[in-house]
Amino acid sequence: MAETFLFNIAERVLEKLVHLSVQEIRLAFNVKTELERLEDTMSNIKAVLLDAERQQHHNEKLHLCMWKLRDIFYDAEDVIDDFKCEALRTQDAINHPNINLKVQFLASCCTSLPPSFSLRMGHKIKDINRRLDELATEWNSFDLGPSSDDRHVLRRETSSFVDYSDVIGRDEDKENIISMLMKPSEDGNVPVIPIVGFGGLGKTTLAQLVYNDDRITSLFPLKIWICVSEEFDLSRLLKLIIKSVNNGERCDDSTLDALQARLRSLLNDKFLLVLDDVWNENQAKWVELRNLLRSTDGFLSSKIIVTTRSLNVASIMSSIPPYILKGLSLEDCLTLFIKWAFNDGNERHYPNLIRIGEEIVKKCKGVPLAVRTLGSLLFQKTDESDWIYIRENEIWRLKQNENDILPVLKLSYNHLPSHLQRCLAFLSLYKKDEIYYSDQVIRLWMANGFFEHPKQNQEWEDVGKRYLNELLSRCLIQKENDFGLGFSFKMHDLIHDLALEVSQRECKMVNPETKMVDEHVRHLLLCDEKLVEVPSVLEKLEKVQTVIVQDGSKRSKIVDKSLINLCVSNFKYLRALELRDSPLTDLPDSIGTLKHLRDLDLARSEGICELPRSFYKLYCLQSLNLGGTGLKQLPDSVQRLIELRRLVITVEAGHLKEIRAGCWTSLQYLELDRCMKLRCLPEGMQYLKSLRTLHLYICPRLVSLPRSLKFLTKLEHLQIVSCWSMNLKMELEEEEDKDLQLSLKTLSLVNLDSLTDLPRWLLQGSSSTLQQLRIKWCQNLSVLPAWLLNLTSLHELDIVDCDNLSALPEGIDRLTNLRELKIEKCRQLSKRYRENGGEDWHKIAHIQKVVIKDEE
């Protein structure tokens, strides 16, 4: 069933209403009254929304009513955002008062909004309140009540029984777990072995195989199987353990003290305890149970197996690395599929169906429950058309029972907080097997207002990183490559199917064959390199917030012009527009009417040489990517974008215009990308008080960093890549050098031909904060200075392809926080510090992780 994401939308709209009320914007009395009325109504609705979300699956009228509410809430959000846009326009008028008479009038109004705007907004808010009033009678008839946002997961009970004939391809995994169980405990603590993976991979089945193995039965006189599932309640778990150990003993009315005493009397020999399907991420609850188990006589020689979908659960319950369960091989999947699709031996009569079955099995990507689900759907069906139907359809479109793959995966989705549900669903916008990039995903989430308000000392980008880490820990996405400042990740096809199911009316992938698009759709992806025109089906849409064009290297200029015209005419509340690799040679002046636009990505659009005069009107723009364009110079209009947080630019000019005071005060990330003629960074860098990341990439004529960089006390990440003329020396006055306080956490110096010494002013100034130092392909660097040992917070040091380096600084063992050292393709260093035969290996042997690779 498609999800409305109503609770999360309500949360975000109410946050904006509260924020609007505390801003220094004078509102007309009638507007303020209507806004207060809207806030009251939405607060009352939100109070019962969680109950509504649970009941809607059994009440079609309620479900339809929630869709009506969703549209009203979205419209309310758009109107509230109109206030922000107008406030920014007014602020721009104050900052630039000499443009025209109208602007001068606005400037004199200070923080008051124009009367015509207030009148227009008053009518819009009043209309939203009227629509809510009309829906009130129907909404109240459902008799909904308040409910907490605690996400409990209800599922079937599991037992220790397993039918060995139903299990295929897990012998190696079983032996690995048994080997871990048979190892003696080293530190006196009972090993907890977490088996981790998303739903349907067979974690419970693997635990059952181990539990019933004869070697385990001989090793552990006492075996206990507990299905934890929905709640990690101490009293409940103690009762289940006692009941399991003592043949069904009932102790329903016992006090906690009585349960503890009974547990100690029963667990007097070593035991194997399996805690199946654990969701609890409250460490205190686990510690309570662990301490009680620790007080029993049999504890020290015992072992515990935990199955969970969460890496957080694994880290809370165990100090050893989790056993990450992988999918089955294609061969094992086919064997399992045949077992469920045919009676024994019957498959040999249907070679045509087996060929189709091989294609069906590939859709399952190694997940045994998915294989079983599709095999069961085809059991005793020998008509080829039935098999082709399964092969050609997405798994999420197929009818499934409670214990089939998608309902099992849906448990993970239901357990997510509402804000993560919406973020996960958004990822369905991309194609299967897509490589996602963390920074891009965070920007799009942020542009669409998916985030909770940042906590103190946090930025919006930090919220996005936390969301991604939560999805990683729950095994809903898998990290592919770590780039230091970001990472790439993938989503399993079945998780993608789940996301598609819940986002049917939010996200839509469009190609020339698309015949229908739901009018509720908010996010569009156009994906076809042969796209010759904008699909006409899009012309009926009005509420779109995201437009992304992929596979665009062969599309025509007409397509992109038509698409921008469509955005301007129809998508008045567009938040994100991604036109990478566009063949456009210019942007229309009408783009300035997209006043709600927060993210504009024109990367690698080489034909774009200048920006339109109206560009400054994109007041809400948070992220602008002009990397790889043909831009001659960055115009003054871009400095008027005071909401800008991320800027990537390529310019042909040798100098950038000076940054003026009061401009780009929110800028977090600045990247100069392939500015081949640029000789210096702009004057006025000291005004970028919020800058946290500076990335200089292939600027071969860039000679030095400006002195003003020393004022960027929030700068955390500096990357300098392939700036071959760069000399990082900066002569500072002695007093300046002594008082310099930077906050760098990571510094990457890559392919710098002119680098002969490390920049003392940068590193010494960040001596207490720098955590990661990467030096790569710096062939003229011959020595690492002794003062490097002052970097007391350094965790990671990477040295790659620096052939002239012969030694690490003497006393490297004084860097007590250094946990990872990587030396690669450095002949002298590799020979000197290798583990076997290196004369100075003993100087780095204390470091937790040392990777030394000779030249390949």
Side-chain angles (χ1 to χ4, degrees), residues 153 155 197-203 279 309 364 367 369-370 373 395-396 400-416 421 424 474-476 478 491-499 501-502:
V153 177
R155 57 157 289 181
F198 62 80
L201 273 174
K203 301 180 295 295
W279 297 77
R309 304 184 186 197
C364 299
V367 178
L369 184 56
T373 297
I395 289 178
W396 66 273
Q400 300 190 29
N401 297 315
E402 182 183 357
N403 292 324
D404 287 340
I405 183 60
L406 272 189
V408 167
L409 287 176
K410 188 79 183 297
L411 294 173
S412 293
Y413 173 83
N414 292 339
H415 195 256
L416 290 172
Q421 289 181 344
L424 180 72
R474 295 167 190 261
C475 300
L476 293 170
Q478 292 81 44
M491 177 187 281
H492 192 282
D493 282 4
L494 293 174
I495 304 295
H496 192 276
D497 280 327
L498 169 66
E501 183 192 26
V502 299

Side-chain angles (χ1 to χ4, degrees), residues 16 20 23 25 27 35 74-90 113-114 117-118 120-122 124-125 128 572-575 593-598 619-620:
K16 289 182 178 182
L20 184 63
Q23 281 184 318
I25 299 173
L27 300 172
L35 282 171
Y74 263 134
D75 288 346
E77 183 175 36
D78 290 341
V79 172
I80 295 163
D81 282 351
D82 275 333
F83 282 98
K84 180 171 184 178
C85 292
E86 187 62 24
L88 288 169
R89 188 174 81 91
T90 304
L113 300 180
F117 174 81
S118 293
R120 191 166 65 252
M121 289 301 102
K124 285 188 175 184
I125 300 162
I128 289 169
K572 300 294 185 182
Y573 292 94
L574 190 71
R575 266 62 168 197
T593 64
L594 295 175
K595 62 180 183 179
H596 287 270
L597 196 65
R598 284 146 169 78
Y619 302 111
C620 289

Side-chain angles (χ1 to χ4, degrees), residues 180-181 189-195 273 275 286 290 299 302-306 313-314 316-322:
M180 295 168 76
L181 288 172
N189 290 320
V190 171
V192 177
I193 301 169
I195 302 174
L273 172 62
L275 298 173
W286 158 242
R290 185 198 63 194
F299 181 75
S302 300
K303 302 285 171 69
I304 300 172
I305 292 176
V306 172
V313 171
I316 285 169
M317 299 184 71
S318 178
S319 59
I320 66 173

Side-chain angles (χ1 to χ4, degrees), residues 33-44:
T33 302
E34 291 293 343
L35 282 171
E36 288 172 351
R37 184 178 160 211
L38 175 62
E39 185 177 349
D40 287 343
T41 305
M42 289 193 66
S43 296
N44 291 332

Side-chain angles (χ1 to χ4, degrees), residues 602-645:
L602 298 166
R604 300 185 300 275
S605 300
E606 297 177 359
I608 294 178
C609 299
E610 60 182 18
L611 300 177
R613 293 181 63 185
S614 67
F615 204 79
Y616 74 93
K617 294 181 179 179
L618 300 176
Y619 302 111
C620 289
L621 207 61
Q622 296 171 340
S623 176
L624 176 60
N625 191 343
L626 297 169
T629 62
L631 207 63
K632 291 182 170 60
Q633 176 61 277
L634 195 67
D636 290 336
S637 60
V638 176
Q639 289 202 38
R640 294 173 67 173
L641 304 176
I642 59 175
E643 289 288 290
L644 206 60
R645 303 178 66 84

Side-chain angles (χ1 to χ4, degrees), residues 751-818:
N751 198 16
L752 305 181
D753 288 351
S754 298
L755 186 70
T756 56
D757 297 299
L758 292 185
R760 182 170 186 164
W761 66 278
L762 270 177
L763 292 167
Q764 290 266 83
S766 304
S767 60
S768 63
T769 59
L770 194 73
Q771 298 173 10
Q772 181 189 80
L773 175 60
R774 291 180 172 175
I775 309 166
K776 299 184 178 182
W777 308 313
C778 296
Q779 295 294 340
N780 291 313
L781 182 65
S782 57
V783 63
L784 295 178
W787 51 256
L788 204 66
L789 304 181
N790 296 332
L791 305 180
T792 54
S793 296
L794 194 66
H795 293 166
E796 181 182 344
L797 175 60
D798 287 5
I799 306 171
V800 178
D801 210 348
C802 296
D803 230 17
N804 278 327
L805 279 178
S806 59
L808 299 174
E810 195 62 39
I812 190 77
D813 55 322
R814 282 164 42 199
L815 291 176
T816 54
N817 283 315
L818 188 61

